[in-house]
Amino acid sequence: MRGFEWAEPDTVDGALEAAGGETAYLAGGTTLVDLMKLQVMNPSRVVAVNRLPLGGIRVDSEGLHLGALARMSEVAEHPEVVRGYPVISRALLLSASQQLRNMASMGGNLLQRTRCPYFRDVAKACNKRAPGSGCAALDGFNRTHAILGTSSHCVATHASDVAVALIALDATVHLRGAAGSRTVQLASLYRTPGSTPHVENTLRPGELITGITVPPLAWARNSTYLKIRDRQSYEFALTSAAVALKTRGRRIEDARVAVGGVGTMPWRLPEVEAALRGKVAGARTFEDAAAHATEGARPLSHNAFKIPLLRRTLVRALLSLEA
Ligand code: SF4
């Protein structure tokens, strides 16, 4: 690990003042510390944010509010989240390990870096780590990589489970920076790689996530998250699905669908949602809708299996909901 300056402010303003140059904010440390040890990330300054007053979980008429420093395990087990937003609770409980969930913050989770093994190996070409160096995954072992939102410069998947659930529910993120506060849709925080895979989000320099809001949605009670992976714990998704259905009798009035493990960012599927609306819930409807999930998908040499697997993941997730 290379040397760096350290700051540990106890106010948001103090954190923004301390940020500068090549700054990294440190919360749970469950991604950043690993990457600094591997010299994949080499910030000249680390600003620890755990003393900032950015915790807390509450529900009011505006929806569910999650402080950026609320820990994954706190959110997963919160009674209002379990009851009102099971898709969020399940996505969190299927992430990482209990020890990591106790440490990792919600804000940090949204900004975690990819698990592409070539990104973490400084001996390999990686446009995300070293712009212009190439992409070792294109001709390498790319079984776990993305099929949606890829480019010829990068095919890495986004690793967060809970971001998939939050995007399905139209969550917004609250940001503070030198120019003040702003709120953006979580979906617009992320960027597909294009020709600049090292630019992963639309944060401005030094900007800090302060919180997350999930708008009220009574039928989010009828939601779930299904994650398919090589082993049943402590593993990233090959495919995953966050789904919610609003039904009257067996008729689907509305739907929310997003998927993970397949996209270069958490991937909302409006075509699938449209194909579900107005239909009678059941296997045939779900299979027809799921066929839209992989429109535009570009499989690589080792991951074409994700196309049928993603469709089956969606169907199984939808069948598990009440209708
Ligand atoms: Fe790097 Fe992206 Fe290629 Fe992985 S897929 S080696 S992260 S450029």
Side-chain angles (χ1 to χ4, degrees):
M1 186 184 288
R2 296 188 191 160
F4 54 89
E5 293 174 22
W6 174 260
E8 201 168 356
D10 49 22
T11 65
V12 172
D13 286 338
L16 297 176
E17 277 167 29
E22 295 287 310
T23 296
Y25 290 119
L26 175 77
T30 54
T31 294
L32 178 64
V33 174
D34 285 353
L35 293 178
M36 288 176 69
K37 285 182 186 167
L38 294 168
Q39 299 197 2
V40 170
M41 290 180 73
N42 299 295
S44 57
R45 184 176 301 175
V46 173
V47 177
V49 295
N50 285 315
R51 291 185 180 169
L52 307 187
L54 298 178
I57 302 165
R58 66 187 168 82
V59 176
D60 62 19
S61 59
E62 313 257 290
L64 169 67
H65 305 278
L66 307 171
L69 290 176
R71 303 294 149 170
M72 289 170 66
S73 53
E74 284 179 79
V75 178
E77 292 154 19
H78 193 281
E80 300 268 22
V81 178
V82 172
R83 187 169 46 245
Y85 304 89
V87 64
I88 295 175
S89 177
R90 281 193 60 75
L92 288 166
L93 290 174
L94 293 172
S95 303
S97 64
Q98 183 68 45
Q99 291 90 338
L100 287 167
R101 293 193 293 271
N102 288 344
M103 290 292 294
S105 69
M106 290 298 293
N109 183 299
L110 300 183
L111 297 179
Q112 66 183 287
R113 310 296 303 275
T114 182
R115 261 54 186 185
C116 171
Y118 303 107
F119 172 70
R120 291 173 170 250
D121 182 346
V122 294
K124 297 291 194 303
C126 173
N127 288 322
K128 190 181 281 296
R129 173 173 33 77
S133 63
C135 172
L138 289 174
D139 295 319
F141 189 52
N142 46 42
R143 177 176 178 272
T144 59
H145 288 71
I147 56 174
L148 293 165
T150 57
S151 74
S152 59
H153 298 269
C154 181
V155 291
T157 50
H158 194 276
S160 174
D161 291 296
V162 76
V164 177
L166 292 170
I167 277 182
L169 299 177
D170 280 334
T172 56
V173 283
H174 309 291
L175 309 172
R176 276 280 302 279
S181 302
R182 64 187 179 119
T183 295
V184 300
Q185 288 287 322
L186 175 58
S188 69
L189 187 71
Y190 296 116
R191 292 171 49 125
T192 53
S195 59
T196 55
H198 59 292
V199 184
E200 297 178 345
N201 57 58
T202 55
L203 286 174
R204 296 167 183 161
E207 211 165 30
L208 187 64
I209 296 179
T210 56
I212 302 161
T213 295
V214 184
L217 189 71
W219 49 278
R221 282 195 296 271
N222 190 30
S223 66
T224 195
Y225 187 77
L226 177 64
K227 180 174 181 177
I228 306 299
R229 45 191 167 166
D230 283 327
R231 58 184 182 198
Q232 271 301 80
S233 77
Y234 197 38
E235 186 55 280
F236 292 93
L238 291 170
T239 59
S240 70
V243 294
L245 283 184
K246 180 185 184 192
T247 55
R248 183 182 293 268
R250 294 195 56 76
R251 183 78 52 188
I252 300 167
E253 293 194 332
D254 208 349
R256 296 290 181 85
V257 179
V259 290
V262 290
T264 52
M265 57 178 273
W267 207 260
R268 184 86 175 258
L269 288 169
E271 302 83 1
V272 175
E273 295 173 0
L276 290 168
R277 282 188 203 106
K279 305 286 179 7
V280 174
R284 180 63 188 273
T285 293
F286 298 156
E287 282 163 14
D288 288 349
H292 295 281
T294 49
E295 286 169 359
R298 284 186 297 208
L300 303 162
S301 47
H302 298 106
N303 71 0
F305 73 95
K306 287 193 175 189
I307 288 183
L309 184 62
L310 179 62
R311 293 177 186 162
R312 290 201 298 270
T313 305
L314 266 174
V315 171
R316 210 174 107 193
L318 289 162
L319 283 171
S320 73
L321 295 179
E322 295 166 21

